[in-house]
């Protein structure tokens, strides 16, 4: 979890704030030890020269002169400091000069709780008022490795850190949105729940009270499908689809139209077109039989890909075409 969050934040900083310091989310103690070894080999002048480039000594202008130069005393002071800002300053100076690949390749991070605190301080220094985390398919990712019990429990416990910090005085608030596509108990049934799925459910249950739930009902699917799967290429394409839908509505006949419509209305059907509400209802009803990584959105996309050569504007994807994509899984 920390790898996903920290690396994405580092990428955001590199893109939007290339001159900003590097937040100290890596486990820096080993880096500092490696730096000491290199310092002894190269000597003070050669080692600190690139780190001090562009900086001035304290001089008569003090800190306003462009920053202080680095020397061994300042290095050791920052390396031994318990002030996160001082450690981040040394870390940033090292990875921008002597250890450039460390920020790109290393996967050794501080713990999630400390790292989020570091990100909060860093983001605030860049002028941000909060951090919003969108963690899609996190629960499905956890479930896929539930058989690794020690790893699984370790990762689940980290989820609590997203809403409860050991040090509650974070500089700015963190807001986390975690997508839970399906409840695992509903997916396989309480009576037939395997050991791995039961472990997932039991481990997640104790943390649920720490999160508020935003429930997306089946009736929300048309809006989701419209935005994520069926976005027209341009205004001309949208007008062509509008015209095709109106022709379908007039030519289908009342019994067929009501069958395709199901419990939804015409505006929802238009959002789903060329899918029908009847097809989406069937897909929702079959969701318990789907593999964990095969969501309704992905299957609808597969349907379009499968029929892109022969599906014409004005036609509707047949409900029976679901069989092919369902049979393509296990």
């Amino acid at each position: 979890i920390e790898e996903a969050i920290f690396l994405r934040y580092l990428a955001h900083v590199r893109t939007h704030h290339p001159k900003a310091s590097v937040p100290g989310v890596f486990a820096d103690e080993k880096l500092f030890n490696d730096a000491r070894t290199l310092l002894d080999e190269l000597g003070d002048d050669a080692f600190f020269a690139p780190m001090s480039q562009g900086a001035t000594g304290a001089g008569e202008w003090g800190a306003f002169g462009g920053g202080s130069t680095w020397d061994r005393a300042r290095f050791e002071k920052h390396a031994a400091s318990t002030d996160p800002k001082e450690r981040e300053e040394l870390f940033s100076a090292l990875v921008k000069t002597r250890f450039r690949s460390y920020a790109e390749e290393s996967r050794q991070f501080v713990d999630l709780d400390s790292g989020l605190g570091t990100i909060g301080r860093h983001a605030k220094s860049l002028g941000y008022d909060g951090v919003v985390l969108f963690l899609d398919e996190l629960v499905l990712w956890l479930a896929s490795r539930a058989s690794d019990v020690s790893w699984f429990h370790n990762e689940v416990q980290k989820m609590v850190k997203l809403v409860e910090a050991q040090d509650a005085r974070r500089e700015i608030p963190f807001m986390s949105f975690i997508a839970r596509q399906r409840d695992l108990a509903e997916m396989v049934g309480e009576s037939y729940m395997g050991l791995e799925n039961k472990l997932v459910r039991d481990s997640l249950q104790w943390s649920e009270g720490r999160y508020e739930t935003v429930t997306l009902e089946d009736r929300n699917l048309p809006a989701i499908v419209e935005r994520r799967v069926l976005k027209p290429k341009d205004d001309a394409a949208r007008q062509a689809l509008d015209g095709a839908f109106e022709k379908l509505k007039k030519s289908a006949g009342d019994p067929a139209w009501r069958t395709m419509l199901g419990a939804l209305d015409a505006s929802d059907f238009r959002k789903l077109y060329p899918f029908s509400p009847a097809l989406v209802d069937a897909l929702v009803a079959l969701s318990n039989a789907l593999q964990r990584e095969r969501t309704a959105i992905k299957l609808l996309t597969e349907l379009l890909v499968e029929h892109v050569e022969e599906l014409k504007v004005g036609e509707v994807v047949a409900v029976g075409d679901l069989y092919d994509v369902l049979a393509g899984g296990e």
Side-chain angles (χ1 to χ4, degrees), residues 30-324:
K30 292 181 180 179
L31 176 66
F32 293 170
N33 290 335
D34 291 342
R36 288 189 182 93
T37 301
L38 187 61
L39 172 58
D40 292 337
E41 292 176 0
L42 298 179
D44 290 20
D45 292 341
F47 181 84
F48 290 118
M51 294 174 62
S52 300
Q53 189 173 5
T56 63
E60 62 180 278
W61 294 105
F64 294 97
S68 301
T69 57
W70 285 95
D71 55 28
R72 189 179 290 264
R74 186 183 177 202
F75 176 97
E76 292 297 344
K77 175 178 178 295
H78 282 61
S81 174
T82 57
D83 183 351
K85 293 182 179 179
E86 288 192 346
R87 296 184 71 89
E88 288 172 28
E89 187 177 7
L90 175 57
F91 181 91
S92 179
L94 289 171
V95 298
K96 283 190 170 185
T97 55
R98 290 294 180 188
F99 301 89
R100 294 179 183 273
S101 64
Y102 198 89
E104 299 289 339
E105 300 176 3
S106 175
R107 296 295 184 269
Q108 299 298 318
F109 299 101
V110 297
D111 64 274
L112 183 63
D113 200 26
S114 300
L116 291 176
T118 297
I119 288 177
R121 289 190 299 274
H122 192 267
K124 184 179 180 180
S125 71
L126 296 177
Y128 292 96
D129 297 317
V131 177
V132 182
L133 303 174
F134 290 98
L135 305 173
D136 191 18
E137 298 190 356
L138 173 59
V139 174
L140 297 182
W141 172 67
L142 290 169
S144 69
R145 293 188 57 184
S147 58
D148 187 346
V149 178
S150 60
W151 175 91
F152 176 79
H153 279 294
N154 188 42
E155 294 300 316
V156 169
Q157 290 174 10
K158 293 176 186 177
M159 291 174 59
V160 179
K161 298 298 183 181
L162 297 173
V163 290
E164 291 185 1
Q166 185 173 357
D167 182 1
R169 296 170 296 176
R170 284 179 178 165
E171 297 287 340
I172 55 178
F174 282 77
M175 294 144 281
S176 301
F177 292 84
I178 300 176
R180 187 180 70 178
Q181 279 78 359
R182 293 187 299 276
D183 183 85
L184 294 173
E186 295 175 359
M187 178 176 151
V188 299
E190 289 279 6
S191 301
Y192 301 98
M193 191 182 298
L195 178 60
E196 293 179 11
N197 287 339
K198 189 175 188 305
L199 177 65
V200 173
R201 182 174 173 81
D202 292 345
S203 297
L204 293 176
Q205 193 170 20
W206 72 276
S207 64
E208 285 185 351
R210 295 170 170 84
Y211 296 92
E212 295 182 21
T213 301
V214 179
T215 302
L216 295 178
E217 304 289 348
D218 292 343
R219 63 177 178 270
N220 299 129
L221 267 175
I224 297 172
V225 173
E226 180 187 33
R227 292 291 296 272
R228 294 189 57 181
V229 182
L230 300 173
K231 184 178 179 180
K233 292 190 297 183
D234 48 38
D235 289 338
R238 183 184 297 277
Q239 291 174 8
L241 291 171
D242 287 340
F245 180 74
E246 289 300 320
K247 290 181 181 179
L248 171 69
K249 184 177 179 181
K250 294 176 182 178
S251 63
D254 185 62
W257 177 256
R258 285 190 285 108
T259 299
M260 288 190 293
L261 204 57
L264 299 181
D265 56 30
S267 63
D268 288 328
F269 193 169
R270 174 61 190 91
K271 292 176 182 178
L272 292 170
Y273 181 76
F275 303 119
S276 67
L279 183 146
V280 174
D281 285 344
L283 186 56
V284 170
L286 290 167
S287 62
N288 286 348
L290 298 179
Q291 294 165 264
R292 285 180 296 207
E293 69 275 11
R294 304 190 79 207
T295 63
I297 295 296
K298 290 182 179 179
L299 289 185
L300 291 175
T301 304
E302 285 183 35
L303 276 174
L304 289 181
V305 173
E306 287 289 332
H307 298 282
V308 68
E309 296 295 337
E310 71 266 13
L311 182 64
K312 299 178 180 179
V313 175
E315 296 178 345
V316 179
V317 177
V319 176
D321 289 342
L322 275 176
Y323 178 82
D324 292 331

